[in-house]
Amino acid sequence: MKRDHFAFGAADIRRMGTIDHAAGNTGLLIISGGNEIRSGAHSGMARLAHSVAVSGFPVMRYDRAGIGDSSGENHGFLGSQSDVHAALLEFRRRCPQLQRFVVFGNCDAATSAVLFHAGLDLAALILANPWTIENPGGTAAQSLPPPAAVRARYWQKLTDGRAIWALLTGKLDFGKLIRGLLHAVSPADEGGQLTSDFARSALAFQGPISILLAEKDNTALAFMADWKSAVFSKLRAKTSIELRICDTSSHGFARPADHIWLTEAIVATLQQIDKEEGRRAVSTQHT
């Protein structure tokens, strides 16, 4: 497989990108999450790009401004709209055979994909463990896992005989247990502005959306709590949204079996887009 590395963008902000070439005419744009470089944690995104390209779909990934090899200032995922738009424009320019584009992101990159899809003419969105948690970091209370994740952990402990024995024999920190329980019943799961913005933007997207969740990941657990809330009621009713869950705690789908699951899910969406476009083309020829 051919892999190209290149710089793109305006003179004041030179972003770095990578394309894994393939013969297909549907391309996948990978948005990096957090402050990760385009290769991803432990080269996870590089491996993913290669796997998808081997399946016949060109893939581009990039470092947003201020990250990795790209110049400029890092404005975080909420300030990355210009990065997303510039990357897709460059993808179109470098792969003129592409007719359709799909965006994939994990964590806050998934949220960026939803918030900034307007004007990009995308065929589909693939969102892994979308970030909908308000005010991460900061105080000690804010740095705790989201309440949905805490509740899931405590439910596991209540069904684990060893954890119950540790509590009864004093081996489990009772103070930490109380703090965790108080956090678990906090009202944070009602959703804030980010959750509302995510729901509204996802509802406005005209194409299919595939949501991929790592079942035991804290971010995914928080998203599932939001997904079941009233804020997402209209989104749940949207037939073009698919929710798939992987039995793993790996946020980045790092384990070999998780990587295979993630790759197959992404390739399945790309193949489905191709099939639908093929049916439309045949229908147009017959009319």
Side-chain angles (χ1 to χ4, degrees):
M1 305 299 298
K2 182 183 178 184
R3 173 174 286 179
D4 288 334
H5 303 280
F6 51 86
F8 66 98
D12 58 332
I13 301 178
R14 297 297 287 172
R15 301 173 178 89
M16 293 299 297
T18 299
I19 291 179
D20 286 64
H21 293 275
N25 53 20
T26 297
L28 179 71
L29 177 66
I30 296 179
I31 304 176
S32 296
N35 291 324
E36 286 183 358
I37 58 177
R38 63 189 183 277
S39 61
H42 307 290
S43 299
M45 290 304 171
R47 289 188 292 111
L48 177 64
H50 175 76
S51 299
V52 174
V54 166
S55 298
F57 302 95
V59 183
M60 177 174 167
R61 49 201 165 83
Y62 64 94
D63 292 338
R64 72 168 185 253
I67 297 296
D69 297 322
S70 295
S71 64
E73 185 177 351
N74 176 14
H75 295 290
F77 78 98
L78 290 176
S80 65
Q81 182 171 8
S82 60
D83 298 285
V84 177
H85 284 237
L88 188 66
L89 183 65
E90 187 68 13
F91 199 10
R92 291 179 186 275
R93 189 183 74 81
R94 289 183 176 268
C95 299
Q97 85 278 10
L98 293 177
Q99 301 173 13
R100 296 168 294 277
F101 295 87
V102 175
V103 167
F104 165 76
N106 185 29
C107 196
D108 61 29
T111 306
S112 297
V114 170
L115 297 180
F116 306 137
H117 69 75
L120 294 181
D121 191 24
L122 299 174
L125 298 176
I126 305 176
L127 314 174
N129 303 321
W131 180 269
T132 54
I133 303 169
E134 298 287 339
N135 299 321
T139 67
Q142 290 172 326
S143 65
L144 288 169
V150 175
R151 286 196 293 272
R153 297 290 181 266
Y154 278 111
W155 175 250
Q156 291 174 358
K157 288 183 181 296
L158 288 173
T159 57
D160 183 351
R162 288 175 299 179
I164 295 174
W165 177 251
L167 177 62
L168 294 175
T169 57
K171 295 179 180 179
L172 190 65
D173 187 336
F174 190 73
K176 184 178 180 181
L177 173 65
I178 295 299
R179 290 193 297 273
L181 289 173
L182 291 174
H183 183 60
V185 298
S186 72
D189 285 341
E190 294 301 319
Q193 188 62 49
L194 182 59
T195 304
S196 298
D197 291 344
F198 183 101
R200 182 171 56 254
S201 296
L203 197 60
F205 186 70
Q206 297 302 307
I209 299 176
S210 181
I211 300 175
L212 311 177
L213 301 178
E215 185 176 22
K216 302 176 184 70
D217 169 62
N218 285 344
T219 303
L221 288 166
F223 179 83
M224 279 304 299
D226 288 331
W227 181 255
K228 297 172 183 178
S229 70
V231 178
F232 277 15
S233 59
K234 292 182 179 179
L235 205 56
R236 290 196 302 272
K238 198 173 182 180
T239 57
S240 59
I241 293 183
E242 175 192 34
L243 190 69
R244 299 184 63 179
I245 298 177
C246 179
D247 181 16
T248 182
S249 59
S250 176
H251 180 70
F253 302 91
R255 297 163 186 158
D258 302 341
H259 173 78
I260 293 172
W261 183 91
L262 179 64
T263 302
E264 290 178 345
I266 291 173
V267 170
T269 295
L270 295 170
Q271 291 173 337
Q272 184 62 33
I273 293 296
D274 272 358
K275 288 180 182 179
E276 291 176 359
E277 291 299 325
R279 285 195 293 266
R280 290 194 189 97
V282 171
S283 177
T284 302
Q285 291 174 0
H286 285 248
T287 57

